[in-house]
Amino acid sequence: MGKKDNFNKAMFDMFGVGTDAGTEPAPEYEKVEEKTRGGLTDNAVAKETVVTTAANAEAAPAVAAERTYIGRGTVIEGNIKAEGDVELLGELKGDIESDGKVTLHTSVTGNVRAKSLTFVGGELTGDIFTGGSFVLGRDSVVNGNIQANDVTCAGSINGNIDIKDTLMLEETAVINGDIKTGFLSMSRGAVVRGKVEMNVKD
C-alpha cells in the first residue's frame, strides 16, 4: 500500500472522507449521475414533485367546492349548466342543471335538475328533478311536477309530487295535486287537494 493509499485510509477512518483502501472508487459514470439536474439534485427533484403533488391535492377540494353565484338585479335568459353548486338571487328564464346543490331566492321560469334543491322565496314555473332533498320555503310557490328523494314543504305546490322516501308538510303547506310517497308527515293546518298514495312500490 503506497503513501497515498495510507493517507486516504487514515482520512477515511478518522473523518469518513476520502476512500477506504479496501474499496474501489466509484466509476466516473456513477459520479456523473449524482450531479445536479436543472439546479436540483435527484433528491431535490423528488422532493419538489411530492410538494407539488401535495399542493395539487389540497387545491382539489377547493375546485370541487366552486359554485356559481348570480346576484340580485341580474336577468338571465338561457340555460345554466354547472358542475358545482348554484345560488341564484337574480331572475332566470331557462333551465338549471347542476351536479351540486341549487339554492333559489327568486323567481325562475324553467325546469330544475340538481343533486338537491332549496327554494327560499319566489315562484318557480317548471318541473323539479332531484335525487336528493327538496326544501320549499314558506313564501315559495312551485307550478310544476316534482320528483325527489324527500321533500320538506312549507310553501305551495301546484302539480303532482313523486317522492321515494318522505314528504313532510308543514302547517303552511298547500298541495294542489296528487301525491305518491313512501312516508307522509303532515302538520295540522297543511292542505292537500288531490289523491295521496303511500308506500308505493314500483
Side-chain angles (χ1 to χ4, degrees):
M1 183 164 25
K3 291 182 180 180
K4 184 177 180 181
D5 292 336
N6 285 335
F7 179 77
N8 284 339
K9 184 174 186 339
M11 291 294 290
F12 183 83
D13 291 340
M14 292 176 62
F15 303 108
V17 296
T19 58
D20 190 354
T23 61
E24 291 292 328
E28 281 300 315
Y29 70 88
E30 290 184 6
K31 292 180 180 178
V32 171
E33 288 296 324
E34 292 174 359
K35 289 184 177 179
T36 60
R37 295 185 303 172
L40 296 171
T41 64
D42 289 346
N43 288 337
V45 172
K47 185 176 180 182
E48 183 183 63
T49 303
V50 171
V51 170
T52 303
T53 304
N56 290 341
E58 290 176 3
V63 173
E66 284 184 358
R67 68 186 177 112
T68 301
Y69 179 87
I70 300 170
R72 296 186 188 279
T74 303
V75 179
I76 296 178
E77 295 186 2
N79 300 330
I80 295 175
K81 186 173 183 179
E83 293 182 358
D85 297 343
V86 176
E87 185 168 7
L88 179 65
L89 283 78
E91 186 178 347
L92 173 66
K93 296 179 181 178
D95 298 339
I96 300 176
E97 185 176 346
S98 171
D99 295 333
K101 177 182 178 181
V102 174
T103 304
L104 304 176
H105 300 266
T106 186
S107 297
V108 173
T109 302
N111 302 321
V112 178
R113 187 180 298 271
K115 185 176 181 180
S116 66
L117 173 63
T118 300
F119 194 15
V120 179
E123 184 172 356
L124 187 149
T125 301
D127 297 332
I128 294 171
F129 307 91
T130 174
S133 62
F134 171 44
V135 178
L136 184 65
R138 184 182 295 253
D139 299 322
S140 301
V141 179
V142 173
N143 300 310
N145 301 320
I146 298 170
Q147 290 184 13
N149 189 64
D150 57 81
V151 171
T152 301
C153 177
S156 300
I157 298 173
N158 301 311
N160 299 325
I161 305 173
D162 190 351
I163 310 300
K164 290 183 179 179
D165 196 356
T166 303
L167 172 61
M168 297 181 63
L169 300 179
E170 299 185 2
E171 58 184 13
T172 55
V174 177
I175 309 297
N176 295 307
D178 296 337
I179 296 173
K180 286 184 179 181
T181 183
F183 304 95
L184 176 63
S185 173
M186 187 171 177
S187 299
R188 184 174 181 177
V191 176
V192 175
R193 302 185 182 98
K195 182 175 64 175
V196 177
E197 295 183 55
M198 293 176 58
N199 296 315
V200 178
K201 294 182 180 180
D202 296 332

